Amino acid sequence: GDSVTQMEGPVTLSEEAFLTINCTYTATGYPSLFWYVQYPGEGLQLLLKATKADDKGSNKGFEATYRKETTSFHLEKGSVQVSDSAVYFCALSDQGNTGKLIFGQGTTLQVKP
Amino acid sequence: DAMVIQNPRYQVTQFGKPVTLSCSQTLNHNVMYWYQQKSSQAPKLLFHYYDKDFNNEADTPDNFQSRRPNTSFCFLDIRSPGLGDAAMYLCATSSTGGVADTQYFGPGTRLTVL
């Protein structure tokens, strides 16, 4: 079945450091890929998405490129801020599943001043 | 602002005592989802409604039920909560349920079972 694997956390960085969170997926069809962010005590917010191969999603300085050849959707940001501290979830939505999201296990990011 | 609202934000119940969680949306979306998120785990879909059509995930326990009386509201009923049902329950909506559609999440209800 479909699945998503994320790098394990927590990831601890200093402010202004470069961020990469790895995400790979397995899917039978042509999925759409998403990154959601969850701040402490809150629900999930869409960070960015890509709906076909080679698409790049971007938002708030975060980027991720849909790589079909490596089945990956790694999240990157050039310079993190303390306010980026949160849990990041990679997810996919596959055809025929009425939009059901399958999530990776989440990666906790801590950014220190 | 259009949004997804969940009430209450925190719910405490006793073992075996039925509980109902509420979700409402002002987005006028066709699809509403309920996810269960246990501590430090990924959200897991319990079921969803496409308009009035109910779709249960194969591994969702019978203890969990849902109602959608109209487009705006959806309820999650836990008939006899066990200690293992303590979790954050997330409601989400999407416009069409299409593969590229964005899901909009509410803030969640944290359920504690004593």
Side-chain angles (χ1 to χ4, degrees):
Chain A
D2 295 350
S3 65
V4 176
T5 302
Q6 288 179 237
M7 64 185 287
E8 290 190 16
V11 174
T12 303
L13 296 173
S14 297
E15 212 166 16
E16 299 184 4
F18 185 87
L19 169 70
T20 300
I21 301 178
N22 290 337
C23 171
T24 57
Y25 68 90
T26 302
T28 53
Y30 299 93
S32 292
L33 302 173
F34 304 81
W35 277 100
Y36 280 84
V37 58
Q38 186 174 35
Y39 298 101
E42 298 185 12
L44 279 70
Q45 301 174 27
L46 177 69
L47 183 58
L48 53 84
K49 71 178 184 182
T51 60
K52 61 183 188 296
D54 299 325
D55 268 1
K56 178 187 282 189
S58 61
N59 185 28
K60 300 180 181 179
F62 291 90
E63 293 183 340
T65 301
Y66 187 163
R67 302 283 189 200
K68 195 171 190 305
E69 63 277 11
T70 54
T71 61
S72 65
F73 192 55
H74 305 321
L75 182 68
E76 296 182 337
K77 187 176 185 183
S79 176
V80 294
Q81 306 299 313
V82 172
S83 57
D84 294 327
S85 298
V87 182
Y88 292 80
F89 289 96
C90 185
L92 70 80
S93 172
D94 209 350
Q95 292 172 326
N97 282 341
T98 324
K100 170 183 175 179
L101 286 173
I102 295 170
F103 289 90
Q105 65 268 41
T107 302
T108 299
L109 170 65
Q110 284 184 319
V111 180
K112 297 188 173 179
Chain B
D1 282 345
M3 55 179 22
V4 181
I5 302 161
Q6 291 188 245
N7 285 306
R9 293 290 308 274
Y10 301 91
Q11 177 73 58
V12 180
T13 190
Q14 291 183 336
F15 184 96
K17 184 174 181 182
V19 66
T20 294
L21 309 182
S22 168
C23 177
S24 64
Q25 54 130 342
T26 60
L27 298 160
N28 202 33
H29 282 172
N30 284 324
V31 193
M32 295 186 78
Y33 306 84
W34 280 104
Y35 290 85
Q36 179 192 61
Q37 185 182 21
K38 294 189 176 180
S39 182
S40 303
Q41 295 185 21
K44 180 177 177 297
L45 184 66
L46 294 173
F47 26 60
H48 73 275
Y49 274 93
Y50 187 94
D51 196 8
K52 295 182 179 179
D53 293 333
F54 178 71
N55 297 272
N56 202 28
E57 292 298 298
D59 56 356
T60 298
D62 292 341
N63 200 24
F64 291 85
Q65 305 286 322
S66 185
R67 296 170 284 134
R68 189 178 185 186
N70 54 51
T71 300
S72 300
F73 284 87
C74 194
F75 300 98
L76 170 62
D77 301 309
I78 308 176
R79 293 191 297 188
S80 182
L83 298 178
D85 297 328
M88 176 80 88
Y89 289 89
L90 298 167
C91 175
T93 73
S94 74
S95 179
T96 65
V99 65
D101 218 8
T102 296
Q103 289 189 25
Y104 296 85
F105 285 80
T109 295
R110 183 167 296 283
L111 178 68
T112 300
V113 182
L114 301 177

